[in-house]
Amino acid sequence: MRKSKLSSPFHPIGTLFIGLLIAQAIATIQVYLSNLKLFATVSAVIAAGYLAIPNQQVMGSLQTFASAFYGGFFFSFTIGAGITLGTMAATWVWDRAFRRHRYILFFFLSVWGGSLLFVNIRGYSLIPTLYFLIIPPVIFKLTAKRQSNTEIRWSRMQQLVHVIPIPLLALLWFTQFDETMFLDLRDNLLLSNHWGRKFSDFYYSYTLYPAEAFKSLDQKNIKTCALENIQTRSSHENLKSRLMARGYLLLPNTATIDLKIVQKKNNLDFRSRQRLIFQIPLNQFLSDSQNILQRFSQQLDSHALFRQITFLSLLLGFPVLIYMVLHAVLYYLLLLFLGRKTAGQTASIMCLFIGIIVLIYFQSNRSDIIDIKDIPQALESENWQTRVSALKTIQQQKLKITDYKAYPQLLKSQRPQERYWLVKTLAYSRGPGTYEDLLSFLNDKNTNVRCMALYALGLRKNPSAINPILERIKQSDNWYSQTYAYHALRSLGWKQTNSP
């Protein structure tokens, strides 16, 4: 092994932290520019007399540095962590497994170049490119330097003690992966404790700022369009009705808009910022507007692959980031009593056991399948997870929650998880008083519960809920709740109308 040039301990968390700092700087710029663009759009939408999401109470935050900075954490801890950890791992493999072989380095460089091409394959995207362009070379240099300066001689078995816990924990946790895993993580690991609820509140307060920065047009709540040179009034009205039905709000040509449709004889040009995307016959759009608008969105979507990489980083990079932080904390604590080698190995073993203990706790508290005949007893259980399991069964089987005598007591539950799943059952329970009960949950202190109440009102298809929902949008200072309210309104058949 190489001789050390450093006498002080150096944990790789320092390199990871630098990668996150770079990602945070890029992410803050990305979210801030997106916020300014959305602010201009929302301002134009309000000026035209439409209902805007986010509303006027929230839109002011789009111009602040704080919302961009806090929103940037999402990208830092997903794509930033993923790229940083991937580069650190690649550098470690190149150094330890291949002894810094030159041709292996060329291979990793080609992978890096390929990632730059890959993220731009659907169209050039400056900000996503910066993550891949800046972070890898900085992290590669820092990691390679650290590897050169280490004085500790590790046997192959000792190296495995450091390496094995991460893939082993990933494999063990993967056994829990299904469509309800994230909800169960929220219920059991976040909403079940004070700090978890604080984290959840922070997430739901700022998550839509970064989400807006890389959504496709089709995924946005507010989409804007303009019509030009439409030759007949009937064609104009037909086009407007189909666009409004798909969430596109008609604005003056002077505004910055997402879609501009220009008629040329019997054809329609679909344009974005003066660029022609495609041309189709007028009658084709009138008969198949949904698919054509989806096609337009897809052809403009330069962030599709970036979203996929970000989601993959959320699944892999974020958990490894938590592991690394925990390892660093344990390492520096153990360093007060042990040597560096022993402290490092012990920290790795402790992280493995902590990960397994959390997994066992999580798995043991996941929802069980409750037989329908056992629901009454389960709803009165002392264990809140059992009550939630019963509520999930009622919701999945579309049973009437009001048929159970525990219903009045469930309405008073102090647990947000329980209220959340209770509200979901009210989407299918049409008994006396359930509509008023559901409306009361619109004032719940928990964002998840409020959002689920809005979602349930949309499913009930009762148009009398439109005015209460509109009132909540006007009063709300939470963008996430407003988004659910807007989708509920559209589910109830409500349509945007601009002022005269």
Side-chain angles (χ1 to χ4, degrees):
M1 284 288 183
R2 304 172 184 84
K3 292 287 186 180
S4 173
K5 298 177 184 177
L6 295 178
S7 57
S8 60
F10 177 29
H11 192 278
I13 192 67
T15 303
L16 174 59
F17 183 68
I18 291 173
L20 294 178
L21 280 179
I22 298 171
Q24 180 64 23
I26 298 171
T28 301
I29 295 171
Q30 181 181 14
V31 177
Y32 186 70
L33 293 177
S34 171
N35 285 351
L36 293 182
K37 180 182 176 183
L38 181 60
F39 181 85
T41 298
V42 172
S43 299
V45 164
I46 292 174
Y50 294 109
L51 175 69
I53 303 294
N55 65 11
Q56 288 178 296
Q57 291 190 56
V58 174
M59 64 179 289
S61 66
L62 295 171
Q63 295 183 298
T64 67
F65 174 80
S67 63
F69 182 78
Y70 293 138
F73 284 146
F74 174 79
F75 288 122
S76 297
F77 295 146
T78 54
I79 190 73
I83 294 174
T84 301
L85 291 166
T87 305
M88 291 171 67
T91 310
W92 186 91
V93 169
W94 172 64
D95 178 78
R96 296 296 174 88
F98 295 101
R99 303 295 181 183
R100 303 200 173 202
H101 197 286
R102 182 173 56 182
Y103 293 121
I104 301 299
L105 177 61
F106 290 154
F107 169 76
F108 283 123
L109 288 174
S110 67
V111 171
W112 177 44
S115 67
L116 289 169
L117 293 175
F118 183 74
V119 78
N120 290 290
I121 199 169
R122 297 286 297 272
Y124 177 68
S125 300
L126 174 61
I127 299 295
T129 300
L130 292 178
Y131 289 104
F132 289 89
L133 185 65
I134 299 175
I135 297 175
V138 174
I139 299 305
F140 175 84
K141 183 174 181 179
L142 291 174
T143 305
K145 182 178 181 180
R146 177 183 177 277
Q147 298 286 112
S148 297
N149 290 339
T150 184
E151 66 179 1
I152 302 176
R153 296 176 179 271
W154 300 99
S155 68
R156 188 172 298 275
M157 182 58 66
Q158 290 169 336
Q159 291 184 33
L160 288 176
V161 169
H162 284 293
V163 173
I164 284 179
I166 293 178
L168 180 57
L169 286 173
L171 181 63
L172 291 172
W173 275 91
F174 185 76
T175 63
Q176 301 299 306
F177 186 80
D178 57 31
E179 59 183 8
T180 65
M181 178 179 173
F182 288 110
L183 289 176
D184 287 340
L185 282 170
R186 181 202 65 190
D187 288 349
N188 292 293
L189 298 183
L190 294 180
L191 296 184
S192 61
N193 63 87
H194 172 76
W195 292 110
R197 288 191 292 272
K198 288 290 186 182
F199 175 84
S200 180
D201 289 341
F202 180 87
Y203 175 83
Y204 288 112
S205 295
Y206 292 102
T207 187
L208 288 183
Y209 296 96
E212 193 72 22
F214 72 158
K215 281 182 177 178
S216 68
L217 182 59
D218 201 43
Q219 294 171 326
K220 294 179 182 290
N221 292 320
I222 301 299
K223 302 178 279 286
T224 59
C225 64
L227 298 174
E228 183 178 299
N229 198 38
I230 307 304
Q231 296 173 6
T232 66
R233 182 177 181 82
S234 62
S235 294
H236 187 280
E237 291 302 314
N238 285 333
L239 288 169
K240 179 180 177 180
S241 66
R242 283 161 175 76
L243 288 165
M244 295 282 280
R246 303 300 170 194
Y248 283 81
L249 307 182
L250 205 61
L251 296 180
N253 275 326
T254 53
T256 302
I257 47 91
D258 299 309
L259 164 63
K260 185 174 185 178
I261 298 179
V262 182
Q263 184 171 0
K264 292 185 177 179
K265 297 183 180 180
N266 293 323
N267 293 322
L268 298 176
D269 285 356
F270 280 65
R271 296 181 172 273
S272 173
R273 294 175 177 79
Q274 306 304 318
R275 180 167 64 95
L276 178 64
I277 306 303
F278 55 74
Q279 185 183 77
I280 59 167
L282 170 61
N283 290 336
Q284 183 181 345
F285 177 72
L286 295 178
S287 62
D288 194 20
S289 57
Q290 179 176 356
N291 288 328
I292 290 170
L293 289 172
Q294 286 179 348
R295 174 187 164 194
F296 179 79
S297 174
Q298 290 170 357
Q299 293 195 217
L300 286 183
D301 187 10
S302 60
H303 288 112
L305 295 172
F306 182 70
R307 283 197 304 275
Q308 293 176 14
I309 298 172
T310 302
F311 179 69
L312 183 63
S313 296
L314 175 63
L315 291 178
L316 300 178
F318 183 64
V320 176
L321 168 63
I322 294 175
Y323 177 94
M324 292 284 289
V325 171
L326 177 61
H327 189 281
V329 171
L330 294 173
Y331 171 73
Y332 283 112
L333 287 175
L334 291 168
L335 204 60
L336 298 174
F337 312 100
L338 305 172
R340 275 182 279 168
K341 181 186 292 188
T342 306
Q345 288 184 293
T346 306
S348 297
I349 295 170
M350 290 178 67
C351 284
L352 175 61
F353 280 111
I354 291 172
I356 292 173
I357 291 170
V358 174
L359 174 62
I360 292 171
Y361 171 81
F362 172 69
Q363 198 280 330
S364 64
N365 287 290
R366 295 197 74 177
S367 301
D368 295 322
I369 298 174
I370 303 292
D371 289 336
I372 293 179
K373 63 181 177 61
D374 296 328
I375 288 177
Q377 181 180 356
L379 288 175
E380 298 180 16
S381 170
E382 294 291 329
N383 183 277
W384 71 263
Q385 287 96 342
T386 302
R387 298 195 299 271
V388 165
S389 294
L391 290 170
K392 288 182 179 180
T393 301
I394 293 172
Q395 183 259 329
Q396 291 165 1
Q397 299 297 323
K398 298 185 180 180
L399 305 175
K400 291 184 178 180
I401 183 63
T402 51
D403 289 344
Y404 300 94
K405 67 177 184 179
Y407 175 65
Q409 191 62 34
L410 291 170
L411 290 171
K412 303 174 185 178
S413 173
Q414 296 301 307
R415 291 191 173 274
Q417 309 96 311
E418 199 167 357
R419 299 197 303 274
Y420 174 90
W421 290 104
L422 173 63
V423 167
K424 290 198 77 170
T425 69
L426 290 174
Y428 308 104
S429 295
R430 308 302 174 89
T434 55
Y435 173 69
E436 288 74 17
D437 290 337
L438 196 49
L439 287 180
S440 70
F441 282 109
L442 295 181
N443 299 315
D444 196 276
K445 58 185 178 182
N446 183 268
T447 302
N448 299 105
V449 178
R450 292 197 306 272
C451 291
M452 191 46 55
L454 291 161
Y455 177 74
L457 286 169
L459 289 181
R460 287 172 69 108
K461 303 295 182 183
N462 185 348
S464 62
I466 290 176
N467 286 334
I469 293 174
L470 285 170
E471 190 62 30
R472 291 308 188 285
I473 291 179
K474 293 176 184 177
Q475 298 173 358
S476 172
D477 60 357
N478 184 278
W479 186 0
Y480 207 85
S481 297
Q482 292 169 33
T483 297
Y484 269 82
Y486 188 73
H487 287 299
L489 287 173
R490 291 180 60 81
S491 296
L492 293 170
W494 173 87
K495 294 180 181 179
Q496 287 269 21
T497 54
N498 58 330
S499 8

